[in-house]
Amino acid sequence: MNAIDTTVSRRKGTIDMAHGGGGRAMAELITGLFQKHLGNPILAQGNDAALLDTPTGRLVMSTDGHVISPIFFPGGDIGSLSVHGTLNDVAMAGAKPLYLTAGFILEEGYPLADLERIVVSMAHAAREASVPIVTGDTKVVEKGKGDGVFITTTGLGVVPEGVHVSIERAQPGQAILLSGSIGDHGVAILSKRENLEFETEIRSDSAALHTLVADMVATAPGIAVLRDPTRGGLAATLNEIARAAKVGMHLDEAAIPVKPDVAAACELLGLDPLYVANEGKLICLCEPEDAEPLLAAMKAHPFGKDAARIGTVTDDAAHLVEMETGIGGLRVVDWLSGEQLPRIC
C-alpha cells in the first residue's frame, strides 16, 4: 500500500477538523485518499449526486450504519464490513446489487494511515463484489465526540423478473436452510476486543453473499424468504420472521452447523451461538420440494459449502421458535432479552 499524500495531513498524519471544513484540506483528503482508492468513472463525475444507469425491474435500496469495535478484527475490518453488510441487505431481497454509497464520520486525531487501511479494504471488497462506490460524504467531529471511524453505506440493486422474496411469504411446511456455520463473526470480535487467545484463530465470516443468492434464485426462483442473521444471530432472525409472518419454527439442534472452536469459545465465554452475530451467512425459507436442489446449489458455492437444512416452518399459533435438542428435549429459542455483544457490526 502506498503512503498517503503528505499534503492531506496537517498534524503528524492524523485527522483534524480542517479535513471536514470544506476547504483545501478536505479536498486533499478526498482526492488523495478516497478517490485514489475508490475511484471509478461514476465517482469521477464530480457532481453532488451520481448519475446512474439502471436496468428495467424493481429497485431495492438499503442503508446500514457501522460502528464496530474493534475497528480491525480477525477476518476483516469496518471497511470491508461496511461493503459486505449493505450488499447482503440488498441481496436478501433476491436482488442484484448495482451501486454503493459511503458516508464517513471521522474523529479528530484519528490516524490517517489507519483510515487509508480502511479505505483500501473497502475498495478491495467493492472490486471483489463488482459493485462500485459511486458517491460519498465525509464529516469530522471533535476529539472525544466519536470513536475513530463510523461508516454508513447505502446500496441500490434490482430484483430479477419472477422473483418475490419477502418475509410475509413464510408459510407452514416450508423448509429452513442455513448457508453455513454460525457464531464465527461475534466470537472473532469478542476475542479481539478482550485479547483472548484460543488454540486456533477464530476469524469473522464477513463476506458478500450476492453471488450465492444469484445461484440460489437461478435454481429456485420461488424462494420465499432470505435473511442474513446478523445482530441477535440465528435466534433473533427466526423470531423476527415467525412474528412477522405469524408462523412457528421447529429446529433440529443437531443439524445446525457450529465449528468446534467456536462452540468451545462460546462455552468458555458463556455465550449461546444461536444468538451470536454472523456477517457471511444467510437463512432461506423455501418450499420443501426446492430444498434439496437449493442445498446442492449452495454447497457448490464457496460461501455455502457447509449449508444445511435445519428445520421446518410450523403453524404454531403462539409463533414460537422451538428446537429439538441433542438429548431429545424441546427448547423454546426465545428473543434475546438484552444485548449479548454490543457494537458488533
Side-chain angles (χ1 to χ4, degrees):
M1 182 175 67
N2 296 326
I4 191 171
D5 186 340
T6 55
T7 58
V8 305
S9 175
R10 291 162 60 94
R11 293 180 186 171
K12 299 179 182 178
T14 60
I15 289 292
D16 65 31
M17 296 304 295
H19 285 126
R24 182 187 299 275
M26 182 172 173
E28 290 172 348
L29 181 70
I30 292 171
T31 57
L33 195 152
F34 293 114
Q35 291 183 348
K36 173 182 174 183
H37 295 296
L38 302 176
N40 57 69
I42 300 175
L43 190 64
Q45 290 171 356
N47 298 314
D48 284 346
L51 300 175
L52 307 174
D53 293 324
T54 54
T56 301
R58 291 165 294 156
L59 293 178
V60 174
M61 179 178 283
S62 181
T63 192
D64 201 358
H66 303 275
V67 296
I68 193 166
S69 175
I71 287 174
F72 300 97
F73 52 85
D77 54 68
I78 193 172
S80 57
L81 183 71
S82 68
V83 171
H84 295 158
T86 295
L87 289 180
N88 290 346
D89 286 345
V90 172
M92 292 308 116
K96 176 185 177 182
L98 299 173
Y99 305 108
L100 284 168
T101 75
F104 294 81
I105 305 294
L106 307 175
E107 184 182 13
E108 181 184 21
Y110 191 72
L112 278 163
D114 284 354
L115 178 59
E116 182 165 35
R117 183 179 166 192
I118 291 166
V119 175
V120 168
S121 177
M122 288 185 73
H124 176 75
R127 279 196 301 272
E128 198 169 53
S130 299
V131 181
I133 297 172
V134 297
T135 189
D137 184 46
T138 303
K139 295 291 188 297
V140 179
V141 297
E142 296 171 356
K143 191 172 183 62
K145 294 187 177 180
D147 194 10
V149 179
F150 299 147
I151 302 175
T152 297
T153 46
T154 298
L156 183 68
V158 64
V159 181
E161 289 295 331
V163 174
H164 180 49
V165 177
S166 182
I167 195 168
E168 78 270 9
R169 294 193 61 217
Q171 295 291 327
Q174 291 174 343
I176 306 171
L177 312 182
L178 177 65
S179 66
S181 60
I182 58 172
D184 304 40
H185 177 71
V187 172
I189 297 297
L190 187 61
S191 62
K192 177 69 174 178
R193 186 183 299 167
E194 303 299 332
N195 293 316
L196 301 176
E197 293 186 2
F198 301 101
E199 286 189 8
T200 58
E201 183 181 59
I202 298 174
R203 298 174 64 82
S204 168
D205 60 350
S206 180
L209 300 176
H210 59 298
T211 56
L212 171 62
V213 170
D215 289 352
M216 294 173 64
V217 166
T219 301
I223 288 173
V225 181
L226 291 170
R227 294 293 295 269
D228 53 341
T230 53
R231 279 181 300 176
L234 180 67
T237 305
L238 290 178
N239 273 284
E240 287 173 8
I241 298 170
R243 184 177 66 175
K246 296 181 172 48
V247 296
M249 307 272 181
H250 183 88
L251 306 179
D252 178 3
E253 183 177 33
I256 299 174
V258 183
K259 292 176 181 172
D261 51 354
V262 172
C266 285
E267 187 173 354
L268 178 68
L269 298 166
L271 302 174
D272 186 336
L274 293 175
Y275 294 88
V276 177
N278 313 275
E279 286 292 347
K281 300 297 184 309
L282 63 80
I283 299 166
C284 171
L285 272 55
C286 65
E287 297 305 320
E289 61 270 24
D290 289 335
E292 288 305 318
L294 274 172
L295 281 173
M298 295 165 77
K299 290 179 178 180
H301 191 284
F303 296 143
K305 60 184 176 60
D306 296 321
R309 180 173 180 168
I310 64 168
T312 303
V313 181
T314 69
D315 61 356
D316 179 40
H319 316 316
L320 294 178
V321 177
E322 297 178 315
M323 183 172 71
E324 190 171 330
T325 67
I327 57 173
L330 195 62
R331 168 193 166 190
V332 174
V333 180
D334 206 352
W335 292 89
L336 194 62
S337 59
E339 185 76 15
Q340 188 170 233
L341 295 172
R343 294 192 57 188
I344 208 162
C345 56

